[in-house]
Amino acid sequence: MGFTCGIVGLPNVGKSTVFNALTGLKAESSNYPFCTVEPNRGKVAVLDGRLFELGRILRPEKVTPAWLEFLDVAGLVEGASRGEGLGNAFLGHLRVVDALIHVVRLFAAGDIAHLPGAVDPVRDIRLIETELLLADLAIVERRLERSRKSARVGQKEACEEVERLDRMREFLGRGVPLLRLRPWGREEESLSRELGLLTARPVLYVLNIGEDQIEARERIVSELKRDLGVSGDLLLPVCARLERELAELEAEEKEAFRKEMRLGPPVLDSLVGAGYRLLDLVTFYTVVGTEVRAWAVRRQTPVGEAAGKIHSDMQRGFIRAEVIRYEDFVRAGSEEAARQMGFVRTEGRDYPVQDGDVVRVRFH
C-alpha cells in the first residue's frame, strides 16, 4: 500500500519531466501546451532501509515495499475551473489523489514557451491556487444546494452536512484553502474525500530550476518561503532536466554526477520524505508466510483499521494484533525468538500503529 500524488502546474513548467525523473518512465514532454492529455501514471517502490534489513535477516521469498504512485495531468491554465483548456477534465483526474505536487517554473530557457509571460513563480502559484479554489467552490455550492433541499424536509444528516458545507463555502469564498480548516473531524474528512476537494489536499512545491540556479537554490527557497508565507519544508528545488537524464544512468555514474553537480539527494528520496511528512504517514511491516511487506498508513491509525489495508477480512474478523518493535525484532532475529525474549505485545483494535511496528493480525 502506498499513496498517490497528483502533479499539477501551468503548461511547459516541466511536470512531465519531473514525472519521468521520478518514475524512470518516458512520458511525452514537448514545448507546447496540453502535450499531456490523458494522465500519465507511474508507480515507484519506496526505498526502505528497515525493510531491507528485515529481508536480510529473514531471507523470505518475497520482499514487498510500500508504493508511491504519481499522476501527471496536463497543464492548467487561467479559467481551468470553468473548463478552459479542458480544465474540468484535468481537475477531475486529480480528485482521487492524497497530495498535490505543484511544479513551479524557475528556469529561464527562452526557447520553451511560458504562457503567462515572464517567469514569475509567486504569480504562477497564485494562479493555480485560484483555479483550485474556484473549482472546489463550484462543487461545494452544488452539493450545498442539494443538501439544503433535503434539510428542508427534516433530514438530520442533511442539516449537519449543510453546516459543514456552509463553513467550507465561507473559507473558499474568502480565498482560503480548505487545508487550513484542519484539524477537522471524521465527518469533514469523509465529505472532503467524497467531493474530491483539491484545496483540502496537502501541497508540495517542486521548484524546477535551471542548471545555472543549482548553486543558488538555498537563496531561492528562502526568498519564496518569505514571499509565499509557507514552510521551507514544502519547497523542494529540483533541476528536472538533469534528474531525468540521471534516471537513465547506472548507479555509480549517478553518484559521481550528483557529487560533481552538487545536486544533493535524488529527487525521489527527497520527495518520498516530504510526502510522508505532508501526509503524516508511518510505516509498519508484516511477516506472513514467505513474504515481508511494508505498509504506509496515517499516524494514529487504529490497528484494526490498518488491518483492513492488508485485507478487508482482517478488519471484519479482527481479534487482536501481536506487535513487535522493529528494533526488538532485529535484535531477536526472528518472530519466534522475539516471543521467547518477551518482545511481543498483544494489542486491541484501537491501538494506534507506530512507525516501525512489525504486526501480526489474528482474525476470524
Side-chain angles (χ1 to χ4, degrees):
M1 174 193 171
F3 54 98
T4 304
C5 295
I7 302 177
V8 300
L10 291 166
N12 295 344
V13 296
K15 297 184 311 305
S16 294
T17 306
V18 169
F19 174 84
N20 290 338
L22 291 168
T23 63
L25 299 177
K26 295 183 179 179
E28 185 178 358
S29 174
S30 300
N31 180 21
Y32 58 88
F34 315 124
C35 166
T36 308
V37 177
E38 288 301 315
N40 297 310
R41 293 179 180 271
K43 291 177 68 176
V44 296
V46 175
L47 297 178
D48 184 340
R50 293 181 302 196
L51 181 66
F52 175 82
E53 183 65 10
L54 289 172
R56 186 190 66 79
I57 293 170
L58 299 173
R59 299 187 182 280
E61 292 181 8
K62 190 175 183 182
V63 176
T64 305
W67 290 88
L68 175 62
E69 183 174 19
F70 296 100
L71 184 67
D72 171 33
V73 303
L76 302 175
V77 296
E78 189 170 4
S81 58
R82 304 187 304 275
E84 294 291 334
L86 301 179
N88 287 334
F90 299 151
L91 289 170
H93 293 307
L94 294 171
R95 298 199 180 277
V96 298
V97 304
D98 299 299
L100 295 174
I101 298 173
H102 185 167
V103 179
V104 184
R105 177 172 172 175
L106 279 89
F107 66 90
D111 57 326
I112 299 179
H114 192 52
L115 291 184
V119 173
D120 183 339
V122 175
R123 176 205 60 207
D124 295 351
I125 288 171
R126 298 303 186 209
L127 192 157
I128 294 295
E129 285 181 346
T130 298
E131 293 304 321
L132 299 183
L133 282 162
L134 291 173
D136 279 0
L137 181 59
I139 288 175
V140 167
E141 287 180 337
R142 285 197 297 270
R143 179 62 169 257
L144 185 57
E145 185 178 352
R146 286 170 46 198
S147 297
R148 279 177 173 160
K149 289 179 181 177
S150 300
R152 289 192 195 104
V153 297
Q155 290 186 14
K156 182 182 177 182
E157 289 183 0
C159 293
E160 293 172 348
E161 185 171 284
V162 165
E163 290 182 12
R164 297 186 192 104
L165 290 168
D166 260 331
R167 189 173 177 221
M168 290 179 176
R169 186 184 64 165
E170 177 191 353
F171 268 72
L172 292 168
R174 290 195 281 117
V176 179
L178 294 179
L179 188 64
R180 297 186 194 171
L181 273 171
R182 294 188 175 185
W184 54 19
R186 283 182 173 269
E187 292 80 6
E188 286 81 5
E189 180 71 31
S190 177
L191 183 58
S192 164
R193 280 279 169 189
E194 180 186 347
L195 298 178
L197 299 177
L198 296 171
T199 65
R201 304 288 186 267
V203 183
L204 174 70
Y205 300 96
V206 171
L207 312 176
N208 192 2
I209 61 177
E211 291 182 48
D212 58 335
Q213 296 170 302
I214 292 173
E215 295 293 330
R217 59 183 181 268
E218 290 185 8
R219 176 182 57 78
I220 290 170
V221 167
S222 178
E223 290 176 356
L224 280 178
K225 176 183 174 182
R226 179 199 64 212
D227 294 342
L228 295 171
V230 300
S231 166
D233 290 343
L234 300 179
L235 302 168
L236 178 62
V238 170
C239 183
R241 190 184 67 79
L242 283 181
E243 293 286 351
R244 182 194 61 196
E245 293 174 0
L246 281 169
E248 299 177 1
L249 299 179
E250 298 296 329
E252 289 185 6
E253 291 180 288
K254 284 183 187 179
E255 185 63 24
F257 194 84
R258 301 199 76 85
K259 287 182 178 179
E260 180 185 345
M261 296 297 295
R262 300 181 184 178
L263 289 176
V267 62
L268 180 59
D269 294 355
S270 300
L271 199 141
V272 168
Y276 267 63
R277 291 192 299 272
L278 270 178
L279 295 166
D280 202 16
L281 298 175
V282 298
T283 303
F284 73 96
Y285 306 92
T286 56
V287 181
V288 180
T290 59
E291 181 184 30
V292 177
R293 184 162 185 170
W295 306 85
V297 294
R298 291 184 187 275
R299 194 179 305 276
Q300 297 299 314
T301 296
V303 71
E305 183 180 329
K309 306 298 183 182
I310 304 170
H311 197 288
S312 57
D313 287 348
M314 288 188 174
Q315 184 171 6
R316 284 194 296 266
F318 183 93
I319 300 173
R320 66 182 183 276
E322 296 170 354
V323 181
I324 310 168
R325 292 175 63 245
Y326 165 78
E327 293 81 4
D328 291 337
F329 195 104
V330 171
R331 179 181 168 190
S334 70
E335 187 173 350
E336 181 180 353
R339 291 182 187 281
Q340 294 172 355
M341 297 171 72
F343 291 151
V344 180
R345 309 190 317 273
T346 299
E347 303 286 358
R349 66 169 59 248
D350 294 330
Y351 164 75
V353 174
Q354 303 298 304
D355 188 49
D357 280 350
V358 180
V359 178
R360 181 176 291 278
V361 177
R362 302 294 184 182
F363 65 104
H364 292 296

